[in-house]
């Protein structure tokens, strides 16, 4: 695999080769727990890290290693680590650099699971954190303390699609000697490559777009060889958060069509967002591809395209929003995203339910916010479905 090949070629071929014995083109699935060695010295060399190899399934397997090599190549990272879920990726990435008494600066626009991990688990072990508006870079500077070890951001954020200038934040973290961790789940390496912009660590919920078919729970962490090796041997293995061979195989299969899928997700999301923005029953639309988005210019500079997630506020009360998602026929109510199907959810009561209702406004969330993961159906069918659901959810007569 050469570095000058384009994305779709790389996504198909990077890290993979035909099976040596059978010549099979499809990636081998190796579910073994244990591995044998020719002699004791070889076993010692692998366990000590002197020699590349597998020795026990909790620390990885050959199928997962192929996936790690592929994603590392796509992200422009030295190495990658496949783990059991997106939250495993997030928690390992944070715990690798934070000990009791340490502090992390976190964007206030953050996934609900990340919020819960910090507020519910990290605090038990004496880890401090501050949620700040990371679109204002002076806020990051102001939040850094003597015990700060890392800055953690999502861009675009979940679910309000706030963008943060990765290169600008990397300048700050570099100046202070901090690790910059970026959640790149919404964008994937096809649309955004944070390491090229100065990030130290990139995390993915591979459950989402990397797999792309809604049948895997997995996470990926990308970074330097030293950081990834530490996470593998002293974090993932000890915590038992390894990724199994079958799920690695499914993600490898999904990545082969990642570029093609993301193009269609983006195309559909742009059409849906433009439709929603002119709809009289919609208060506000959040999508980086709209000129009305506050970081539209940054989106065009930092991202190849605008992604498949659209968030919007329906006019009315909380019940109106619930009536709307319940009336959808094509879109499915679901907690996930990145599937071929269009998925819809109500963040305040679903993915971000760990945030107290009284604090929702601090995180830019309203009770009526809807998050739409725009799928691969025909855009016209998605739009027609949204229109009929808005009509049913509203007492206001609307003309088609």
């Amino acid at each position: 695999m050469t570095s000058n090949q384009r994305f779709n070629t790389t996504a198909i071929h990077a890290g993979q080769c035909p099976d040596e014995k059978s010549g099979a083109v499809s990636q081998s699935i190796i579910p073994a727990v244990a591995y044998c060695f020719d002699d004791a010295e070889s076993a010692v060399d692998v366990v000590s890290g002197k020699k590349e190899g597998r020795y026990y399934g909790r620390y990885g397997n050959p199928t997962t290693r192929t996936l790690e090599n592929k994603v590392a190549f796509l992200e422009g990272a030295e190495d990658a680590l496949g783990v059991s879920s997106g939250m495993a990726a997030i928690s390992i990435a944070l715990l690798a650099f934070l000990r009791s008494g340490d502090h992390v600066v976190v964007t206030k626009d953050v996934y609900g699971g990340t919020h819960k991990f910090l507020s519910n688990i990290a605090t038990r072990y004496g880890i401090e954190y501050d949620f700040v508006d990371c679109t204002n870079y002076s806020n990051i500077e102001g939040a850094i303390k003597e015990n700060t070890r890392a800055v953690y951001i999502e861009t675009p954020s979940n679910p309000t699609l706030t963008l943060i200038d990765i290169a600008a934040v990397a300048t700050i973290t570099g100046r202070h000697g901090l690790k910059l961790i970026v959640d790149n789940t919404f964008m994937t390496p096809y649309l955004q490559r944070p390491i090229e912009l100065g990030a130290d660590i990139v995390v993915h919920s591979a459950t989402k777009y990397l797999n792309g078919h809604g049948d895997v729970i997995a996470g990926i962490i990308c970074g330097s060889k030293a950081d990834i090796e530490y996470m593998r041997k002293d974090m993932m293995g000890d915590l038992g958060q390894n990724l199994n061979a079958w799920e690695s195989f499914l993600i490898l299969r999904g990545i082969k069509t990642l570029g093609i899928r993301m193009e269609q997700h983006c195309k559909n999301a742009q059409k849906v967002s433009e439709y929603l923005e002119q709809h009289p029953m919609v208060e506000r639309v959040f999508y980086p591809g709209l000129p009305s988005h506050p970081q539209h210019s940054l989106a065009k500079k930092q991202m190849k395209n605008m992604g498949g997630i659209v968030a919007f506020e329906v006019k009315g009360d909380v019940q109106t929003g619930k009536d709307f998602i319940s009336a959808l026929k094509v879109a499915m109510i679901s907690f996930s995203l990145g599937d071929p199907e269009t998925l819809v959810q109500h963040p305040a009561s679903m993915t971000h339910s760990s945030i107290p209702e009284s604090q929702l406004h601090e995180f830019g969330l309203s009770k009526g916010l809807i998050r739409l993961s725009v799928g691969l159906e025909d855009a016209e069918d998605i739009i027609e479905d949204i229109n009929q659901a808005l009509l049913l959810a509203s007492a206001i007569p609307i003309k088609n």
Side-chain angles (χ1 to χ4, degrees), residues 167-343:
V169 179
T171 299
I172 296 171
T173 55
R175 186 163 58 245
H176 290 273
L178 309 177
K179 292 288 186 178
L180 174 56
I181 306 169
V182 180
D183 186 335
N184 200 32
T185 298
F186 274 21
M187 287 288 97
T188 79
Y190 180 70
L191 298 177
Q192 179 173 267
R193 290 160 64 91
I195 288 175
E196 292 181 353
L197 298 171
D200 298 291
I201 300 292
V202 171
V203 296
H204 287 276
S205 172
T207 309
K208 312 304 192 297
Y209 290 111
L210 290 184
N211 173 54
H213 293 80
D215 51 13
V216 164
I217 293 180
I220 302 282
I221 312 166
C222 301
S224 70
K225 283 189 178 295
D227 285 341
I228 294 300
E229 189 64 14
Y230 171 73
M231 293 178 196
R232 182 187 305 280
K233 289 194 171 182
D234 296 304
M235 300 294 300
M236 179 197 76
D238 292 343
L239 292 172
Q241 294 177 311
N242 53 292
L243 180 61
N244 69 50
W246 172 245
E247 292 183 330
S248 295
F249 167 79
L250 290 176
I251 301 167
L252 281 164
R253 185 173 67 173
I255 287 176
K256 290 184 179 182
T257 60
L258 177 61
I260 297 168
R261 288 187 286 106
M262 292 311 298
E263 284 293 334
Q264 190 63 32
H265 281 300
C266 293
K267 182 180 177 182
N268 282 356
Q270 184 70 39
K271 290 181 178 179
V272 168
S273 67
E274 290 172 355
Y275 170 78
L276 287 168
E277 192 167 48
Q278 56 78 43
H279 201 289
M281 266 303 296
V282 175
E283 188 74 41
R284 186 180 178 189
V285 181
F286 303 84
Y287 186 67
L290 295 174
S292 59
H293 191 284
Q295 292 101 31
H296 179 63
S297 296
L298 174 60
K300 291 192 292 184
K301 181 182 78 170
Q302 186 166 274
M303 293 144 49
K304 180 179 178 180
N305 208 327
M306 304 302 167
I309 305 296
V310 178
F312 59 100
E313 294 175 351
V314 176
K315 290 180 180 178
D317 55 18
V318 174
Q319 190 58 48
T320 307
K322 290 182 177 179
D323 289 344
F324 164 72
I325 65 173
S326 296
L328 291 164
K329 297 178 180 178
V330 173
M332 303 177 182
I333 300 173
S334 175
F335 282 77
S336 196
L337 59 95
D339 292 2
E341 300 84 5
T342 294
L343 305 177

Side-chain angles (χ1 to χ4, degrees), residues 26 65 81 115 129 200 230 237 261 288 325 394:
S26 182
R65 190 61 186 145
L81 178 65
H115 176 279
Y129 61 90
D200 298 291
Y230 171 73
R261 288 187 286 106
I325 65 173
S394 171

